[in-house]
Amino acid sequence: MLSIEQIRNETDTVRAALIRRAEDEDCLDDILTLDARRRVAITEGDELRARRNLVSREIGQARSQGSQPADNVIAEMREVGQRISALEDEVRELDSRINDAMMALPNLPDASVPDGTDETANVVLRHWGEPASIGIEHGDFEALPHWDIAERLGIIDFQRGVKLSGSRFYTLNGYGARLERAIISWMLDLHGGEHGYTEMALPIIVRRETMEGSGNLPLFADNLYHDEEDDLWLIPTAEVPVTNLHRDEILDAGQLPMYYVAHTPCFRREKAAAGRDTRGIKRVHQFNKVEMYKFVEPDTSFDELESLLGNAETVCQRLNLPYRILQLCAGDISFPSAKSYDVEVWAAGSQEWLEVSSCSNCTDFQARRANIRYRPGVGERPRFVHTLNGSGLALPRVIIAILENNQQPDGSVVIPEALRPYTGFDVIPGP
C-alpha cells in the first residue's frame, strides 16, 4: 500500500508512476478529495472538542462557586456533542473509503525499471547454457513435448486428474511423484543450507486479512479459491502466509535481514488464462512451489534483490537447465512489486521458454498493508521493512524442463546429477 502522505505531497510523481504502469491515475483525484474532506472534518472535530473542554472547565468552576450554567450554554454543548459524534462517523466513513481506494493502487515502479506497457517490452539481460544442445541431438531423434514423454513413461496421468478434479488437474505416478518429491527436498536443502534461509512449514488456508496483507485481496479475488462459510482462502503462493508472519510487529534492527524458505501447494483458478496452455502441466490449478522470502532494511533491499535472483539462478545451474533472465517493464511487474526479474528455463521438446521464478522487491508496499515495522536503533521511531520474494523454484515447469531437455533416443530420461541422491535413481527407464 502507498502512503497517503506520498499521494498528498508527491501527487505528480505518483501519477507519472501509475501512468508508467499503464494504470488509471484518475483515482488519485478521488483519493485527494476524500482526504481533504477527512482533514476538514478532523480539524472541525478538534476545534469543537477544544471548545467543549473549555466550556466544561468553566461550568465546573461556576458550579464550585455555587452557580449553575445558563440554559443556552447547556444547549450549545449538547449540539457540540452531537456535531462531534457526527464528525467522528464521517471520519470513519471517509477512512474506509480512502482505505478501499488505496488498497486498489499498485506499488510504484522503481526508476531502474524499463518503460513499457506489457511483456513485449521486457528486457532480456543474459543467458546461461545452450538451449539448442542440452541433452538432445535433434538430428538423431525427435524431441517430444513433456505430455508425450509422460504418457509413454506412465509418470503423469492427465485423464485421472480430470476424473478426480476437472480440467487442469493431473496425477504424478511412480517415478514422476518421486522426482517431484526429490526436487522439492533438494531445493529446500539448498536454500536452507547454502543460502541461509530458515525453512518454514505453513498453513495453506488463510484468513482474509492475510490475503490483504500480501496484496492478493481485494483486487485478485476472482483468481483465488475461497471458502465462503468461514471466509478462508487457499493460498496462490507461500508468499502470502510468509508475508504475514510478522504482521503487526515491530522488529529489532538486529533481527534483520530475515530469510525464509517454504514449500507449499499453490492454488489458482487461472481465469485470466482461459484457453491458454491447455496441454500438459504448464498452467494448472494446483501445483507445488518452493518460495524464498526476505524481510530487510530499506537501504539494502535492491542489493538483496540481486542476491535473491542469484539464489534462483543457482537452482537452474545445478540442474543444468539453460535459462535466461528478463527484467520486467513497468507495465508487467506484479501488483505489489517495485522491481522484478523473471527466470525462464528452456524446454527443448515444446521449444519454448518457461517462467520458473519471478524475483521481486516489493519495497514497503506489503509492509504497510500488514503493518510490519522495525526499530533502526534504541529510541528511534519504527520504520516499515522492505519485503522481497522469489520462487526457488516453481514446479511443475522444472519437471517439464527436466523431462524435455534430458530425454534420450530410447525414450528414457536422465536425472540431473544434483538430484540423484534424492531420487534414488539416475534414469527414468524408457517404455
Side-chain angles (χ1 to χ4, degrees), residues 191 195 197 259-260 291-294 301-314 339 341 343 357-361 387-393:
H191 295 311
H195 297 156
Y197 293 79
Y259 301 163
Y260 293 110
E291 183 78 4
M292 303 176 292
Y293 200 94
K294 296 184 175 185
S301 65
F302 286 99
D303 288 337
E304 291 280 7
L305 176 60
E306 301 301 321
S307 173
L308 182 75
L309 176 62
N311 296 154
E313 290 187 73
T314 297
K339 183 176 183 178
Y341 298 108
V343 182
S357 181
S358 189
C359 297
S360 299
N361 183 359
T387 62
L388 301 93
N389 65 83
S391 303
L393 304 169

PDB file of all heavy atoms in Angstrom, residues 191 195 197 259-260 291-294 301-314 339 341 343 357-361 387-393:
ATOM      1  N   HIS A 191      18.551 -24.081  -0.309  1.00  0.00           N
ATOM      2  CA  HIS A 191      18.300 -22.734   0.207  1.00  0.00           C
ATOM      3  C   HIS A 191      18.500 -22.660   1.718  1.00  0.00           C
ATOM      4  O   HIS A 191      18.999 -21.660   2.234  1.00  0.00           O
ATOM      5  CB  HIS A 191      16.876 -22.297  -0.154  1.00  0.00           C
ATOM      6  CG  HIS A 191      16.642 -22.145  -1.627  1.00  0.00           C
ATOM      7  ND1 HIS A 191      17.482 -21.431  -2.442  1.00  0.00           N
ATOM      8  CD2 HIS A 191      15.649 -22.625  -2.429  1.00  0.00           C
ATOM      9  CE1 HIS A 191      17.034 -21.474  -3.687  1.00  0.00           C
ATOM     10  NE2 HIS A 191      15.922 -22.190  -3.700  1.00  0.00           N
ATOM     11  N   HIS A 195      22.235 -21.170   1.259  1.00  0.00           N
ATOM     12  CA  HIS A 195      21.804 -19.784   1.060  1.00  0.00           C
ATOM     13  C   HIS A 195      21.312 -19.106   2.339  1.00  0.00           C
ATOM     14  O   HIS A 195      20.991 -17.912   2.318  1.00  0.00           O
ATOM     15  CB  HIS A 195      20.715 -19.729  -0.018  1.00  0.00           C
ATOM     16  CG  HIS A 195      21.191 -20.173  -1.360  1.00  0.00           C
ATOM     17  ND1 HIS A 195      20.349 -20.674  -2.338  1.00  0.00           N
ATOM     18  CD2 HIS A 195      22.446 -20.216  -1.902  1.00  0.00           C
ATOM     19  CE1 HIS A 195      21.056 -20.995  -3.406  1.00  0.00           C
ATOM     20  NE2 HIS A 195      22.327 -20.727  -3.166  1.00  0.00           N
ATOM     21  N   TYR A 197      18.541 -19.562   4.366  1.00  0.00           N
ATOM     22  CA  TYR A 197      17.127 -19.339   4.644  1.00  0.00           C
ATOM     23  C   TYR A 197      16.648 -20.288   5.755  1.00  0.00           C
ATOM     24  O   TYR A 197      17.115 -21.425   5.857  1.00  0.00           O
ATOM     25  CB  TYR A 197      16.279 -19.589   3.393  1.00  0.00           C
ATOM     26  CG  TYR A 197      16.503 -18.580   2.280  1.00  0.00           C
ATOM     27  CD1 TYR A 197      17.611 -18.673   1.439  1.00  0.00           C
ATOM     28  CD2 TYR A 197      15.602 -17.556   2.065  1.00  0.00           C
ATOM     29  CE1 TYR A 197      17.822 -17.760   0.417  1.00  0.00           C
ATOM     30  CE2 TYR A 197      15.789 -16.636   1.035  1.00  0.00           C
ATOM     31  CZ  TYR A 197      16.901 -16.746   0.218  1.00  0.00           C
ATOM     32  OH  TYR A 197      17.095 -15.839  -0.794  1.00  0.00           O
ATOM     33  N   TYR A 259      15.479 -14.290   6.435  1.00  0.00           N
ATOM     34  CA  TYR A 259      15.264 -15.058   5.214  1.00  0.00           C
ATOM     35  C   TYR A 259      14.431 -16.304   5.554  1.00  0.00           C
ATOM     36  O   TYR A 259      14.770 -17.028   6.493  1.00  0.00           O
ATOM     37  CB  TYR A 259      16.581 -15.525   4.601  1.00  0.00           C
ATOM     38  CG  TYR A 259      17.571 -14.450   4.223  1.00  0.00           C
ATOM     39  CD1 TYR A 259      18.905 -14.781   3.994  1.00  0.00           C
ATOM     40  CD2 TYR A 259      17.196 -13.115   4.079  1.00  0.00           C
ATOM     41  CE1 TYR A 259      19.835 -13.819   3.635  1.00  0.00           C
ATOM     42  CE2 TYR A 259      18.123 -12.150   3.725  1.00  0.00           C
ATOM     43  CZ  TYR A 259      19.443 -12.505   3.504  1.00  0.00           C
ATOM     44  OH  TYR A 259      20.366 -11.544   3.153  1.00  0.00           O
ATOM     45  N   TYR A 260      13.378 -16.541   4.778  1.00  0.00           N
ATOM     46  CA  TYR A 260      12.552 -17.730   4.961  1.00  0.00           C
ATOM     47  C   TYR A 260      12.424 -18.483   3.639  1.00  0.00           C
ATOM     48  O   TYR A 260      12.413 -17.875   2.555  1.00  0.00           O
ATOM     49  CB  TYR A 260      11.149 -17.351   5.436  1.00  0.00           C
ATOM     50  CG  TYR A 260      11.096 -16.767   6.821  1.00  0.00           C
ATOM     51  CD1 TYR A 260      10.804 -15.416   7.017  1.00  0.00           C
ATOM     52  CD2 TYR A 260      11.321 -17.552   7.945  1.00  0.00           C
ATOM     53  CE1 TYR A 260      10.746 -14.866   8.288  1.00  0.00           C
ATOM     54  CE2 TYR A 260      11.261 -17.015   9.228  1.00  0.00           C
ATOM     55  CZ  TYR A 260      10.973 -15.672   9.384  1.00  0.00           C
ATOM     56  OH  TYR A 260      10.912 -15.134  10.641  1.00  0.00           O
ATOM     57  N   GLU A 291       9.294 -21.391  -2.166  1.00  0.00           N
ATOM     58  CA  GLU A 291       9.306 -19.925  -2.180  1.00  0.00           C
ATOM     59  C   GLU A 291      10.392 -19.384  -1.252  1.00  0.00           C
ATOM     60  O   GLU A 291      10.530 -19.829  -0.107  1.00  0.00           O
ATOM     61  CB  GLU A 291       7.944 -19.391  -1.740  1.00  0.00           C
ATOM     62  CG  GLU A 291       7.795 -17.887  -1.787  1.00  0.00           C
ATOM     63  CD  GLU A 291       7.559 -17.354  -3.184  1.00  0.00           C
ATOM     64  OE1 GLU A 291       7.441 -18.170  -4.127  1.00  0.00           O
ATOM     65  OE2 GLU A 291       7.489 -16.123  -3.344  1.00  0.00           O
ATOM     66  N   MET A 292      11.145 -18.414  -1.752  1.00  0.00           N
ATOM     67  CA  MET A 292      12.124 -17.683  -0.941  1.00  0.00           C
ATOM     68  C   MET A 292      11.526 -16.327  -0.571  1.00  0.00           C
ATOM     69  O   MET A 292      10.840 -15.704  -1.388  1.00  0.00           O
ATOM     70  CB  MET A 292      13.421 -17.477  -1.713  1.00  0.00           C
ATOM     71  CG  MET A 292      14.078 -18.758  -2.204  1.00  0.00           C
ATOM     72  SD  MET A 292      15.558 -18.423  -3.218  1.00  0.00           S
ATOM     73  CE  MET A 292      14.829 -17.675  -4.695  1.00  0.00           C
ATOM     74  N   TYR A 293      11.816 -15.872   0.654  1.00  0.00           N
ATOM     75  CA  TYR A 293      11.227 -14.607   1.108  1.00  0.00           C
ATOM     76  C   TYR A 293      12.200 -13.905   2.045  1.00  0.00           C
ATOM     77  O   TYR A 293      12.875 -14.549   2.841  1.00  0.00           O
ATOM     78  CB  TYR A 293       9.912 -14.864   1.842  1.00  0.00           C
ATOM     79  CG  TYR A 293       9.011 -13.654   1.929  1.00  0.00           C
ATOM     80  CD1 TYR A 293       8.018 -13.446   0.983  1.00  0.00           C
ATOM     81  CD2 TYR A 293       9.160 -12.724   2.939  1.00  0.00           C
ATOM     82  CE1 TYR A 293       7.190 -12.336   1.051  1.00  0.00           C
ATOM     83  CE2 TYR A 293       8.350 -11.608   3.016  1.00  0.00           C
ATOM     84  CZ  TYR A 293       7.363 -11.416   2.069  1.00  0.00           C
ATOM     85  OH  TYR A 293       6.548 -10.309   2.131  1.00  0.00           O
ATOM     86  N   LYS A 294      12.237 -12.563   1.945  1.00  0.00           N
ATOM     87  CA  LYS A 294      13.157 -11.778   2.763  1.00  0.00           C
ATOM     88  C   LYS A 294      12.444 -10.584   3.395  1.00  0.00           C
ATOM     89  O   LYS A 294      11.647  -9.902   2.736  1.00  0.00           O
ATOM     90  CB  LYS A 294      14.321 -11.251   1.913  1.00  0.00           C
ATOM     91  CG  LYS A 294      15.223 -12.309   1.309  1.00  0.00           C
ATOM     92  CD  LYS A 294      16.391 -11.664   0.567  1.00  0.00           C
ATOM     93  CE  LYS A 294      17.374 -12.700   0.046  1.00  0.00           C
ATOM     94  NZ  LYS A 294      18.573 -12.073  -0.559  1.00  0.00           N
ATOM     95  N   SER A 301      17.585  -3.230   0.223  1.00  0.00           N
ATOM     96  CA  SER A 301      16.633  -4.120  -0.457  1.00  0.00           C
ATOM     97  C   SER A 301      16.974  -4.390  -1.924  1.00  0.00           C
ATOM     98  O   SER A 301      16.724  -5.498  -2.418  1.00  0.00           O
ATOM     99  CB  SER A 301      15.209  -3.567  -0.339  1.00  0.00           C
ATOM    100  OG  SER A 301      15.050  -2.345  -1.007  1.00  0.00           O
ATOM    101  N   PHE A 302      17.528  -3.426  -2.622  1.00  0.00           N
ATOM    102  CA  PHE A 302      17.828  -3.687  -4.033  1.00  0.00           C
ATOM    103  C   PHE A 302      19.065  -4.572  -4.190  1.00  0.00           C
ATOM    104  O   PHE A 302      19.145  -5.375  -5.132  1.00  0.00           O
ATOM    105  CB  PHE A 302      17.951  -2.378  -4.812  1.00  0.00           C
ATOM    106  CG  PHE A 302      16.617  -1.729  -5.052  1.00  0.00           C
ATOM    107  CD1 PHE A 302      16.184  -0.693  -4.246  1.00  0.00           C
ATOM    108  CD2 PHE A 302      15.775  -2.192  -6.051  1.00  0.00           C
ATOM    109  CE1 PHE A 302      14.932  -0.112  -4.446  1.00  0.00           C
ATOM    110  CE2 PHE A 302      14.527  -1.623  -6.262  1.00  0.00           C
ATOM    111  CZ  PHE A 302      14.097  -0.580  -5.449  1.00  0.00           C
ATOM    112  N   ASP A 303      20.011  -4.482  -3.273  1.00  0.00           N
ATOM    113  CA  ASP A 303      21.111  -5.448  -3.266  1.00  0.00           C
ATOM    114  C   ASP A 303      20.591  -6.835  -2.906  1.00  0.00           C
ATOM    115  O   ASP A 303      21.044  -7.847  -3.476  1.00  0.00           O
ATOM    116  CB  ASP A 303      22.184  -5.023  -2.256  1.00  0.00           C
ATOM    117  CG  ASP A 303      22.975  -3.812  -2.714  1.00  0.00           C
ATOM    118  OD1 ASP A 303      23.024  -3.561  -3.936  1.00  0.00           O
ATOM    119  OD2 ASP A 303      23.533  -3.111  -1.850  1.00  0.00           O
ATOM    120  N   GLU A 304      19.650  -6.889  -1.984  1.00  0.00           N
ATOM    121  CA  GLU A 304      19.059  -8.177  -1.601  1.00  0.00           C
ATOM    122  C   GLU A 304      18.292  -8.801  -2.767  1.00  0.00           C
ATOM    123  O   GLU A 304      18.235 -10.027  -2.898  1.00  0.00           O
ATOM    124  CB  GLU A 304      18.125  -7.989  -0.407  1.00  0.00           C
ATOM    125  CG  GLU A 304      18.820  -7.632   0.903  1.00  0.00           C
ATOM    126  CD  GLU A 304      19.419  -8.842   1.595  1.00  0.00           C
ATOM    127  OE1 GLU A 304      19.410  -9.941   1.001  1.00  0.00           O
ATOM    128  OE2 GLU A 304      19.885  -8.682   2.742  1.00  0.00           O
ATOM    129  N   LEU A 305      17.708  -7.965  -3.627  1.00  0.00           N
ATOM    130  CA  LEU A 305      17.020  -8.494  -4.807  1.00  0.00           C
ATOM    131  C   LEU A 305      18.004  -9.211  -5.727  1.00  0.00           C
ATOM    132  O   LEU A 305      17.703 -10.295  -6.249  1.00  0.00           O
ATOM    133  CB  LEU A 305      16.314  -7.364  -5.551  1.00  0.00           C
ATOM    134  CG  LEU A 305      15.629  -7.752  -6.872  1.00  0.00           C
ATOM    135  CD1 LEU A 305      14.548  -8.807  -6.647  1.00  0.00           C
ATOM    136  CD2 LEU A 305      15.036  -6.519  -7.560  1.00  0.00           C
ATOM    137  N   GLU A 306      19.166  -8.631  -5.951  1.00  0.00           N
ATOM    138  CA  GLU A 306      20.162  -9.275  -6.811  1.00  0.00           C
ATOM    139  C   GLU A 306      20.615 -10.604  -6.200  1.00  0.00           C
ATOM    140  O   GLU A 306      20.817 -11.597  -6.911  1.00  0.00           O
ATOM    141  CB  GLU A 306      21.358  -8.350  -7.010  1.00  0.00           C
ATOM    142  CG  GLU A 306      21.028  -7.004  -7.643  1.00  0.00           C
ATOM    143  CD  GLU A 306      20.390  -7.134  -9.016  1.00  0.00           C
ATOM    144  OE1 GLU A 306      20.808  -8.024  -9.796  1.00  0.00           O
ATOM    145  OE2 GLU A 306      19.465  -6.338  -9.311  1.00  0.00           O
ATOM    146  N   SER A 307      20.767 -10.634  -4.876  1.00  0.00           N
ATOM    147  CA  SER A 307      21.150 -11.872  -4.195  1.00  0.00           C
ATOM    148  C   SER A 307      20.059 -12.920  -4.313  1.00  0.00           C
ATOM    149  O   SER A 307      20.337 -14.104  -4.549  1.00  0.00           O
ATOM    150  CB  SER A 307      21.437 -11.572  -2.719  1.00  0.00           C
ATOM    151  OG  SER A 307      21.657 -12.764  -1.994  1.00  0.00           O
ATOM    152  N   LEU A 308      18.820 -12.497  -4.167  1.00  0.00           N
ATOM    153  CA  LEU A 308      17.678 -13.412  -4.312  1.00  0.00           C
ATOM    154  C   LEU A 308      17.646 -14.023  -5.704  1.00  0.00           C
ATOM    155  O   LEU A 308      17.458 -15.237  -5.879  1.00  0.00           O
ATOM    156  CB  LEU A 308      16.383 -12.653  -4.029  1.00  0.00           C
ATOM    157  CG  LEU A 308      15.076 -13.438  -4.069  1.00  0.00           C
ATOM    158  CD1 LEU A 308      14.934 -14.291  -2.816  1.00  0.00           C
ATOM    159  CD2 LEU A 308      13.886 -12.490  -4.188  1.00  0.00           C
ATOM    160  N   LEU A 309      17.849 -13.186  -6.711  1.00  0.00           N
ATOM    161  CA  LEU A 309      17.903 -13.670  -8.096  1.00  0.00           C
ATOM    162  C   LEU A 309      19.031 -14.675  -8.258  1.00  0.00           C
ATOM    163  O   LEU A 309      18.854 -15.727  -8.902  1.00  0.00           O
ATOM    164  CB  LEU A 309      18.085 -12.489  -9.047  1.00  0.00           C
ATOM    165  CG  LEU A 309      18.261 -12.823 -10.524  1.00  0.00           C
ATOM    166  CD1 LEU A 309      17.024 -13.531 -11.081  1.00  0.00           C
ATOM    167  CD2 LEU A 309      18.550 -11.555 -11.324  1.00  0.00           C
ATOM    168  N   GLY A 310      20.182 -14.393  -7.666  1.00  0.00           N
ATOM    169  CA  GLY A 310      21.300 -15.323  -7.751  1.00  0.00           C
ATOM    170  C   GLY A 310      20.981 -16.669  -7.136  1.00  0.00           C
ATOM    171  O   GLY A 310      21.403 -17.719  -7.651  1.00  0.00           O
ATOM    172  N   ASN A 311      20.206 -16.690  -6.050  1.00  0.00           N
ATOM    173  CA  ASN A 311      19.794 -17.952  -5.434  1.00  0.00           C
ATOM    174  C   ASN A 311      18.926 -18.765  -6.385  1.00  0.00           C
ATOM    175  O   ASN A 311      19.078 -19.991  -6.480  1.00  0.00           O
ATOM    176  CB  ASN A 311      19.032 -17.689  -4.140  1.00  0.00           C
ATOM    177  CG  ASN A 311      19.863 -17.026  -3.067  1.00  0.00           C
ATOM    178  OD1 ASN A 311      19.317 -16.342  -2.198  1.00  0.00           O
ATOM    179  ND2 ASN A 311      21.176 -17.197  -3.095  1.00  0.00           N
ATOM    180  N   ALA A 312      18.013 -18.099  -7.088  1.00  0.00           N
ATOM    181  CA  ALA A 312      17.170 -18.804  -8.060  1.00  0.00           C
ATOM    182  C   ALA A 312      18.005 -19.321  -9.231  1.00  0.00           C
ATOM    183  O   ALA A 312      17.784 -20.439  -9.723  1.00  0.00           O
ATOM    184  CB  ALA A 312      16.065 -17.873  -8.566  1.00  0.00           C
ATOM    185  N   GLU A 313      18.969 -18.533  -9.685  1.00  0.00           N
ATOM    186  CA  GLU A 313      19.827 -18.962 -10.785  1.00  0.00           C
ATOM    187  C   GLU A 313      20.649 -20.188 -10.403  1.00  0.00           C
ATOM    188  O   GLU A 313      20.883 -21.073 -11.237  1.00  0.00           O
ATOM    189  CB  GLU A 313      20.753 -17.820 -11.203  1.00  0.00           C
ATOM    190  CG  GLU A 313      20.064 -16.674 -11.903  1.00  0.00           C
ATOM    191  CD  GLU A 313      21.060 -15.665 -12.436  1.00  0.00           C
ATOM    192  OE1 GLU A 313      21.737 -15.974 -13.438  1.00  0.00           O
ATOM    193  OE2 GLU A 313      21.173 -14.568 -11.845  1.00  0.00           O
ATOM    194  N   THR A 314      21.089 -20.243  -9.155  1.00  0.00           N
ATOM    195  CA  THR A 314      21.877 -21.389  -8.713  1.00  0.00           C
ATOM    196  C   THR A 314      21.114 -22.691  -8.889  1.00  0.00           C
ATOM    197  O   THR A 314      21.681 -23.715  -9.283  1.00  0.00           O
ATOM    198  CB  THR A 314      22.279 -21.215  -7.231  1.00  0.00           C
ATOM    199  OG1 THR A 314      23.120 -20.071  -7.108  1.00  0.00           O
ATOM    200  CG2 THR A 314      23.031 -22.435  -6.720  1.00  0.00           C
ATOM    201  N   LYS A 339      10.185  -3.714  -8.488  1.00  0.00           N
ATOM    202  CA  LYS A 339      11.153  -4.152  -9.489  1.00  0.00           C
ATOM    203  C   LYS A 339      11.171  -5.671  -9.498  1.00  0.00           C
ATOM    204  O   LYS A 339      11.194  -6.295  -8.430  1.00  0.00           O
ATOM    205  CB  LYS A 339      12.553  -3.610  -9.161  1.00  0.00           C
ATOM    206  CG  LYS A 339      13.625  -3.959 -10.198  1.00  0.00           C
ATOM    207  CD  LYS A 339      14.948  -3.302  -9.856  1.00  0.00           C
ATOM    208  CE  LYS A 339      16.014  -3.578 -10.905  1.00  0.00           C
ATOM    209  NZ  LYS A 339      17.296  -2.896 -10.614  1.00  0.00           N
ATOM    210  N   TYR A 341      12.507  -9.457 -11.674  1.00  0.00           N
ATOM    211  CA  TYR A 341      13.191 -10.244 -12.694  1.00  0.00           C
ATOM    212  C   TYR A 341      12.453 -11.571 -12.841  1.00  0.00           C
ATOM    213  O   TYR A 341      12.003 -12.147 -11.849  1.00  0.00           O
ATOM    214  CB  TYR A 341      14.635 -10.557 -12.278  1.00  0.00           C
ATOM    215  CG  TYR A 341      15.535  -9.378 -12.081  1.00  0.00           C
ATOM    216  CD1 TYR A 341      15.933  -9.001 -10.798  1.00  0.00           C
ATOM    217  CD2 TYR A 341      16.028  -8.649 -13.160  1.00  0.00           C
ATOM    218  CE1 TYR A 341      16.795  -7.933 -10.602  1.00  0.00           C
ATOM    219  CE2 TYR A 341      16.885  -7.585 -12.974  1.00  0.00           C
ATOM    220  CZ  TYR A 341      17.263  -7.225 -11.693  1.00  0.00           C
ATOM    221  OH  TYR A 341      18.112  -6.170 -11.505  1.00  0.00           O
ATOM    222  N   VAL A 343      12.975 -15.545 -14.225  1.00  0.00           N
ATOM    223  CA  VAL A 343      13.904 -16.590 -14.654  1.00  0.00           C
ATOM    224  C   VAL A 343      13.116 -17.556 -15.528  1.00  0.00           C
ATOM    225  O   VAL A 343      12.120 -18.125 -15.076  1.00  0.00           O
ATOM    226  CB  VAL A 343      14.510 -17.336 -13.450  1.00  0.00           C
ATOM    227  CG1 VAL A 343      15.519 -18.376 -13.935  1.00  0.00           C
ATOM    228  CG2 VAL A 343      15.159 -16.363 -12.476  1.00  0.00           C
ATOM    229  N   SER A 357      10.580 -18.727 -12.077  1.00  0.00           N
ATOM    230  CA  SER A 357      10.728 -17.865 -10.918  1.00  0.00           C
ATOM    231  C   SER A 357      10.519 -16.423 -11.318  1.00  0.00           C
ATOM    232  O   SER A 357      10.920 -16.012 -12.411  1.00  0.00           O
ATOM    233  CB  SER A 357      12.119 -18.019 -10.285  1.00  0.00           C
ATOM    234  OG  SER A 357      12.256 -17.188  -9.141  1.00  0.00           O
ATOM    235  N   SER A 358       9.866 -15.683 -10.434  1.00  0.00           N
ATOM    236  CA  SER A 358       9.791 -14.232 -10.551  1.00  0.00           C
ATOM    237  C   SER A 358      10.287 -13.663  -9.240  1.00  0.00           C
ATOM    238  O   SER A 358       9.724 -13.941  -8.176  1.00  0.00           O
ATOM    239  CB  SER A 358       8.354 -13.774 -10.829  1.00  0.00           C
ATOM    240  OG  SER A 358       8.329 -12.395 -11.132  1.00  0.00           O
ATOM    241  N   CYS A 359      11.379 -12.902  -9.287  1.00  0.00           N
ATOM    242  CA  CYS A 359      12.014 -12.367  -8.083  1.00  0.00           C
ATOM    243  C   CYS A 359      11.710 -10.873  -7.998  1.00  0.00           C
ATOM    244  O   CYS A 359      12.027 -10.122  -8.922  1.00  0.00           O
ATOM    245  CB  CYS A 359      13.521 -12.594  -8.130  1.00  0.00           C
ATOM    246  SG  CYS A 359      13.991 -14.347  -8.141  1.00  0.00           S
ATOM    247  N   SER A 360      11.107 -10.459  -6.886  1.00  0.00           N
ATOM    248  CA  SER A 360      10.599  -9.090  -6.786  1.00  0.00           C
ATOM    249  C   SER A 360      10.998  -8.415  -5.490  1.00  0.00           C
ATOM    250  O   SER A 360      11.033  -9.050  -4.426  1.00  0.00           O
ATOM    251  CB  SER A 360       9.062  -9.095  -6.868  1.00  0.00           C
ATOM    252  OG  SER A 360       8.611  -9.617  -8.095  1.00  0.00           O
ATOM    253  N   ASN A 361      11.270  -7.124  -5.593  1.00  0.00           N
ATOM    254  CA  ASN A 361      11.408  -6.253  -4.435  1.00  0.00           C
ATOM    255  C   ASN A 361      10.105  -5.476  -4.306  1.00  0.00           C
ATOM    256  O   ASN A 361       9.758  -4.679  -5.180  1.00  0.00           O
ATOM    257  CB  ASN A 361      12.589  -5.294  -4.611  1.00  0.00           C
ATOM    258  CG  ASN A 361      12.810  -4.409  -3.401  1.00  0.00           C
ATOM    259  OD1 ASN A 361      12.080  -4.484  -2.417  1.00  0.00           O
ATOM    260  ND2 ASN A 361      13.823  -3.554  -3.462  1.00  0.00           N
ATOM    261  N   THR A 387      10.134  -5.925   1.827  1.00  0.00           N
ATOM    262  CA  THR A 387       9.939  -7.358   1.629  1.00  0.00           C
ATOM    263  C   THR A 387      10.285  -7.749   0.199  1.00  0.00           C
ATOM    264  O   THR A 387      10.064  -6.981  -0.744  1.00  0.00           O
ATOM    265  CB  THR A 387       8.483  -7.772   1.919  1.00  0.00           C
ATOM    266  OG1 THR A 387       7.589  -7.104   1.003  1.00  0.00           O
ATOM    267  CG2 THR A 387       8.088  -7.413   3.343  1.00  0.00           C
ATOM    268  N   LEU A 388      10.851  -8.948   0.056  1.00  0.00           N
ATOM    269  CA  LEU A 388      11.214  -9.485  -1.254  1.00  0.00           C
ATOM    270  C   LEU A 388      10.765 -10.930  -1.326  1.00  0.00           C
ATOM    271  O   LEU A 388      10.725 -11.642  -0.314  1.00  0.00           O
ATOM    272  CB  LEU A 388      12.723  -9.418  -1.486  1.00  0.00           C
ATOM    273  CG  LEU A 388      13.385  -8.041  -1.427  1.00  0.00           C
ATOM    274  CD1 LEU A 388      13.918  -7.745  -0.033  1.00  0.00           C
ATOM    275  CD2 LEU A 388      14.511  -7.926  -2.450  1.00  0.00           C
ATOM    276  N   ASN A 389      10.428 -11.376  -2.530  1.00  0.00           N
ATOM    277  CA  ASN A 389      10.026 -12.765  -2.710  1.00  0.00           C
ATOM    278  C   ASN A 389      10.482 -13.277  -4.068  1.00  0.00           C
ATOM    279  O   ASN A 389      10.671 -12.498  -5.006  1.00  0.00           O
ATOM    280  CB  ASN A 389       8.500 -12.912  -2.584  1.00  0.00           C
ATOM    281  CG  ASN A 389       7.757 -12.191  -3.701  1.00  0.00           C
ATOM    282  OD1 ASN A 389       7.591 -12.710  -4.797  1.00  0.00           O
ATOM    283  ND2 ASN A 389       7.317 -10.969  -3.425  1.00  0.00           N
ATOM    284  N   GLY A 390      10.677 -14.587  -4.143  1.00  0.00           N
ATOM    285  CA  GLY A 390      11.048 -15.217  -5.409  1.00  0.00           C
ATOM    286  C   GLY A 390      10.874 -16.721  -5.333  1.00  0.00           C
ATOM    287  O   GLY A 390      11.153 -17.327  -4.292  1.00  0.00           O
ATOM    288  N   SER A 391      10.387 -17.308  -6.404  1.00  0.00           N
ATOM    289  CA  SER A 391      10.269 -18.765  -6.444  1.00  0.00           C
ATOM    290  C   SER A 391      11.650 -19.371  -6.490  1.00  0.00           C
ATOM    291  O   SER A 391      12.539 -18.872  -7.162  1.00  0.00           O
ATOM    292  CB  SER A 391       9.478 -19.206  -7.682  1.00  0.00           C
ATOM    293  OG  SER A 391       8.204 -18.604  -7.688  1.00  0.00           O
ATOM    294  N   GLY A 392      11.752 -20.522  -5.779  1.00  0.00           N
ATOM    295  CA  GLY A 392      13.086 -21.073  -5.721  1.00  0.00           C
ATOM    296  C   GLY A 392      13.231 -22.573  -5.983  1.00  0.00           C
ATOM    297  O   GLY A 392      14.020 -23.171  -5.319  1.00  0.00           O
ATOM    298  N   LEU A 393      12.542 -23.262  -6.880  1.00  0.00           N
ATOM    299  CA  LEU A 393      11.773 -22.703  -7.979  1.00  0.00           C
ATOM    300  C   LEU A 393      10.333 -23.236  -7.935  1.00  0.00           C
ATOM    301  O   LEU A 393       9.970 -23.978  -7.034  1.00  0.00           O
ATOM    302  CB  LEU A 393      12.380 -23.111  -9.335  1.00  0.00           C
ATOM    303  CG  LEU A 393      13.847 -22.756  -9.551  1.00  0.00           C
ATOM    304  CD1 LEU A 393      14.388 -23.438 -10.782  1.00  0.00           C
ATOM    305  CD2 LEU A 393      14.034 -21.261  -9.669  1.00  0.00           C
TER     306      LEU A 393
END
